[in-house]
């Protein structure tokens, strides 16, 4: 397709370069999953809200977008006196979860013609079947959680993954070093959200599984938990998420994390069950 909104599975709002944007992930056009996903600039200068299509990006069964910022990992040996100039400020990126082909990572540029730099696209390994994304920005690096649904190529159950991203000017066209941190035990993961509370980071995965002994949406945690006085994943040099709970859901298709009067909540959309 030539872009626009068709068979959309997700839309994410973000702000960059002093502008407001909406990225739409198009899963298919009714016939084929090899379609384009779209970027819109939100213009309210005239008093009315208008969505101006800025760019289209090739996608294949696109399920989700995520806007994230990635910084230089200062623990790595970066030659700041070399010929290549290093910017230590976090750099913006857009990640696109393609169910067919995995996660594509694009540098965000302030060029007037194209903000998503497709020529510098990086495909994250081991992310085929990507269905959802959640980013956790930690300063020196950024964690990207990828919810994975059984890929169409095999249909076999797969775990979701957590990747670590850090800017490295010498690491390929995107200038990002990506490393696998952890594979999480999930079943039919269809979405993921990240939440932060009392110093701990949480990942909640929506499971599209029907009710049964192995069903439910898992909750993972990493970091200190004030109520238990010890950290999840303690003693690990890298973030290690621990499964702490399974939510009783049936064919969970979407998630939204929010806070109300200081307490965190997760809203779950289900394709089956009583609610």
């Amino acid at each position: 397709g030539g872009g626009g909104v068709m068979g959309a599975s997700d839309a994410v709002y973000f702000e960059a370069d002093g502008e407001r944007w909406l990225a739409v992930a198009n899963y298919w056009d009714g016939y084929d999953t090899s379609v384009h996903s779209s970027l819109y600039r939100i213009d309210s200068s005239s008093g009315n809200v208008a969505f101006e299509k800025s760019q289209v990006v090739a996608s294949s069964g696109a399920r989700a977008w995520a806007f994230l910022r990635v910084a230089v990992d200062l623990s790595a040996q970066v030659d700041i006196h070399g010929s290549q100039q290093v910017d230590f400020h976090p750099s913006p990126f857009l990640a696109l979860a393609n169910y067919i082909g995995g996660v594509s990572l694009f540098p965000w540029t302030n060029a007037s013609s194209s903000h998503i730099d497709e020529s510098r696209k990086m495909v994250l390994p081991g992310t085929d079947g990507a269905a959802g994304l959640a980013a956790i920005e930690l300063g020196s690096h950024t964690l990207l959680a990828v919810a994975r649904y059984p890929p169409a190529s095999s249909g076999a159950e797969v775990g979701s993954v957590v990747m670590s991203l850090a800017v490295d000017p010498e690491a390929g066209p995107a200038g990002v070093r990506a490393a696998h941190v952890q594979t999480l035990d999930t079943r039919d993961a269809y979405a993921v959200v990240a939440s932060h509370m009392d110093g701990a980071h949480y990942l909640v995965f929506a499971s599209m599984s029907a009710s049964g002994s192995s069903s439910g949406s898992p909750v993972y945690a990493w970091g200190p938990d004030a109520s238990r006085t010890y950290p999840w994943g303690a003693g690990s040099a890298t973030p290690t998420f621990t499964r702490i709970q399974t939510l009783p859901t049936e064919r969970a298709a979407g998630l939204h994390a929010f806070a109300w009067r200081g307490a965190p909540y997760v809203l779950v959309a289900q394709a089956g069950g009583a609610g």
Side-chain angles (χ1 to χ4, degrees):
V5 177
M6 49 187 172
S9 55
D10 179 64
V12 63
Y13 166 87
F14 62 96
E15 298 180 5
D17 300 329
E19 302 273 9
R20 295 178 297 164
W21 305 89
L22 186 74
V24 179
N26 291 320
Y27 183 80
W28 71 331
D29 61 4
Y31 299 95
D32 194 356
T33 55
S34 295
V35 295
H36 287 82
S37 293
S38 308
L39 175 69
Y40 292 87
R41 186 175 73 89
I42 303 174
D43 182 16
S44 58
S45 58
S46 64
N48 298 316
V49 176
F51 294 84
E52 300 176 353
K53 187 163 67 174
S54 173
Q55 191 177 351
V56 295
V57 176
S59 58
S60 186
R63 285 279 302 128
W65 282 100
F67 181 76
L68 58 153
R69 297 185 185 274
V70 182
V72 173
D73 186 354
L74 299 180
S75 65
Q77 295 184 0
V78 179
D79 182 11
I80 62 175
H81 302 293
S83 58
Q84 192 165 12
Q85 199 170 21
V86 178
D87 185 358
F88 289 98
H89 293 92
S91 299
F93 290 83
L94 271 172
L96 176 60
N98 291 290
Y99 175 62
I100 302 171
V103 177
S104 296
L105 186 68
F106 303 95
W108 175 268
T109 71
N110 58 6
S112 58
S113 58
S114 60
H115 294 277
I116 301 174
D117 193 344
E118 287 193 87
S119 68
R120 298 173 58 198
K121 178 180 76 171
M122 175 185 185
V123 178
L124 300 184
T127 59
D128 191 29
L133 300 170
I136 299 175
E137 298 175 9
L138 298 175
S140 63
H141 62 286
T142 296
L143 299 180
L144 184 64
V146 182
R148 298 178 66 206
Y149 193 79
S153 58
S154 66
E157 284 294 336
V158 292
S160 297
V161 297
V162 179
M163 307 289 291
S164 174
L165 307 175
V167 168
D168 183 347
E170 299 180 356
V176 170
R177 185 178 67 255
H180 175 271
V181 172
Q182 192 176 0
T183 297
L184 303 179
D185 182 16
T186 59
R187 182 179 177 85
D188 298 336
Y190 213 66
V192 58
V193 293
S195 183
H196 183 260
M197 181 180 64
D198 297 330
H201 294 278
Y202 297 87
L203 292 173
V204 184
F205 291 87
S207 172
M208 271 293 284
S209 296
S211 60
S213 59
S214 60
S215 67
S217 297
V219 181
Y220 284 85
W222 166 64
D225 185 324
S227 65
R228 294 173 175 79
T229 67
Y230 65 86
W232 304 109
S236 175
T238 58
T240 302
F241 286 89
T242 302
R243 187 167 181 160
I244 61 171
Q245 189 178 355
T246 300
L247 305 180
T249 60
E250 183 173 351
R251 298 184 62 82
L255 300 164
H256 179 67
F258 64 98
W260 173 253
R261 295 181 177 178
Y265 293 86
V266 174
L267 182 66
V268 183
Q270 299 190 144

